[in-house]
Amino acid sequence: MTSGAETEAVVTEPTPPQRVLPTAVVALLVAVLCALAAALALWSLHRMLEPPAGVDALLVVLALVALLPLVPAVRAFGDDRRRGRHLAAGRLAPARHQAASGREHAHTAMGYALAVLICAGLVWFTTANDGAITRTFLRWEFLRSSFANVLDAFWINVEVAVGAQLLVLVVGLVVAVMRLLPGRAGRPLRWLAIAYVDTFRAIPSIITLYLVGFGLKLAQVPVFKDLSPVWLAIIALTLTYSSYVAEVYRAGIESIHPSQWAAARSLGLSYGMTLRTVIVPQAVRRIVPPLLNDFIGLQKDTALIGVMGVTDAFAQSRLTASNVFNLTPVIVVAVLFVLITIPQARYVDRLLAKEQTRTGRS
């Protein structure tokens, strides 16, 4: 009996927290190595630029920033010492707190050190081969001379994107409703909707743009033969992205609980009125984030309309780049797309967070 009691006491005795020292040593080594890599990358940048005193000061500041991961690494050693003192005094709870704090500091140091290493790698890449990357992609004089023309052409991309998005909202909803029509009467329309979605999701956007842009003109199709290339680009992108958005609509409509349908129909609403007044409004609120993601993709695909002969931003940048034998004008287009896409991406993240919060509360 005594042996059993002693064994039970040993089993139930709280275990002390593990030491932080090994993790702290690893964190310190990682921080030092990454800081050295950053220093070498900045030195390579300094040699390539031969900058004035003001830029030299900026490079020194960046080098000091690269040393910041050393701070939490050193703090991890202090947490390990305090953990040992608390443990020696029999204070188990403070010892565990210090051990957790030390591990957190060590992991923070490694995380920031790896970020410094990635940034150093990017700097090294841009300065490799005596700065050939920078000279090829980032020449200030070419950026300044091409910016105005590329920006003017970029408004064509914006016009095509907005026009296609408005049409996609309507066409996508019509196709989704066709695919969800019930009964034998709706079967042919369901088949047509499925065929449309499967076909245009399979065809690359650039092929659709090429076929619509040149095929309708060559075939002398009434109405379409007189449209401008911009309108043909809007139609081509509408055909492609309506197939994607139709599936987004369908997923949103099918996510509505069947009780909503039953309640609406029990009140005497027809199938169409139920969709219009009850189901679709609820579905649209749920599909806004994925819908905006599709619109971001559509917005980027407007860079393909040059295949139809439209002088958009990308086509203009290629013309300028061929004249100066430098790709800086193409970088201008990339920056413009980034500037209009990032706010939308952050807005989508915000909507997703709000939807998750609302769903969690409900």
Side-chain angles (χ1 to χ4, degrees):
M1 295 295 294
T2 304
S3 176
E6 290 177 353
T7 303
E8 183 178 356
V10 171
V11 171
T12 58
E13 182 180 350
T15 57
Q18 296 180 353
R19 296 201 63 182
V20 186
L21 185 60
T23 308
V25 170
V26 173
L28 184 61
L29 289 175
V30 171
V32 170
L33 292 176
C34 292
L36 289 175
L40 292 175
L42 291 173
W43 175 249
S44 176
L45 181 63
H46 176 271
R47 290 175 55 192
M48 185 194 74
L49 295 178
E50 296 181 357
V55 179
D56 272 338
L58 178 60
L59 295 178
V60 171
V61 171
L62 292 176
L64 293 175
V65 170
L67 296 175
L68 289 179
L70 293 172
V71 176
V74 172
R75 288 182 177 176
F77 285 95
D79 289 327
D80 184 68
R81 289 194 299 271
R82 285 187 290 272
R83 165 207 164 273
R85 289 198 296 266
H86 286 305
L87 201 58
R91 297 189 293 267
L92 190 59
R96 286 178 173 172
H97 174 74
Q98 291 299 327
S101 177
R103 285 190 293 270
E104 178 67 22
H105 281 136
H107 293 157
T108 300
M110 287 187 282
Y112 278 92
L114 291 176
V116 168
L117 181 62
I118 293 172
C119 294
L122 292 175
V123 172
W124 176 84
F125 179 74
T126 57
T127 59
N129 195 18
D130 294 328
I133 297 294
T134 304
R135 291 195 302 272
T136 303
F137 294 100
L138 297 172
R139 291 283 293 273
W140 172 253
E141 61 271 23
F142 296 144
L143 188 150
R144 183 174 53 189
S145 62
S146 64
F147 182 79
N149 291 333
V150 172
L151 181 61
D152 288 339
F154 185 69
W155 290 112
I156 296 178
N157 295 85
V158 175
E159 179 183 346
V160 171
V162 173
Q165 287 168 3
L166 293 175
L167 290 177
V168 162
L169 285 173
V170 178
V171 177
L173 180 59
V174 171
V175 174
V177 172
M178 286 175 58
R179 187 162 182 179
L180 293 172
L181 288 175
R184 294 172 57 189
R187 185 178 300 165
L189 294 179
R190 290 199 302 270
W191 288 346
L192 289 175
I194 292 172
Y196 170 80
V197 170
D198 290 347
T199 300
F200 281 98
R201 281 199 304 178
I203 300 176
S205 300
I206 192 169
I207 295 179
T208 304
L209 286 164
Y210 190 85
L211 292 176
V212 172
F214 293 104
L216 297 182
K217 292 280 188 180
L218 291 173
Q220 293 292 299
V221 178
V223 179
F224 294 100
K225 67 179 182 179
D226 299 322
L227 293 178
S228 67
V230 171
W231 270 107
L232 291 176
I234 291 174
I235 291 171
L237 290 175
T238 299
L239 289 173
T240 297
Y241 277 89
S242 292
S243 61
Y244 293 101
V245 171
E247 291 298 281
V248 174
Y249 273 124
R250 183 170 71 92
I253 291 172
E254 290 181 342
S255 69
I256 304 302
H257 198 274
S259 62
Q260 299 289 317
W261 290 88
R265 298 306 296 272
S266 67
L267 293 175
L269 297 181
S270 65
Y271 181 83
M273 291 184 64
T274 300
L275 270 176
R276 181 170 58 86
T277 61
V278 178
I279 303 302
V280 171
Q282 296 183 69
V284 167
R285 186 174 63 181
R286 297 184 180 185
I287 66 171
V288 167
L291 196 61
L292 289 178
N293 280 328
D294 282 338
F295 281 171
I296 290 173
L298 187 156
Q299 184 175 277
K300 293 187 297 182
D301 275 357
T302 60
L304 301 174
I305 64 177
V307 73
M308 305 172 63
V310 180
T311 307
D312 69 317
F314 183 47
Q316 180 64 45
S317 68
R318 284 188 293 129
L319 290 173
T320 307
S322 63
N323 291 331
V324 299
F325 299 101
N326 191 273
L327 294 179
T328 301
V330 182
I331 295 298
V332 174
V333 181
V335 171
L336 290 174
F337 273 106
V338 168
L339 289 178
I340 67 172
T341 300
I342 286 181
Q344 298 177 62
R346 297 289 73 78
Y347 182 61
V348 170
D349 291 342
R350 183 179 177 184
L351 290 176
L352 286 172
K354 289 177 64 176
E355 180 65 20
Q356 291 174 356
T357 303
R358 187 185 66 82
T359 306
R361 289 176 179 175
S362 62

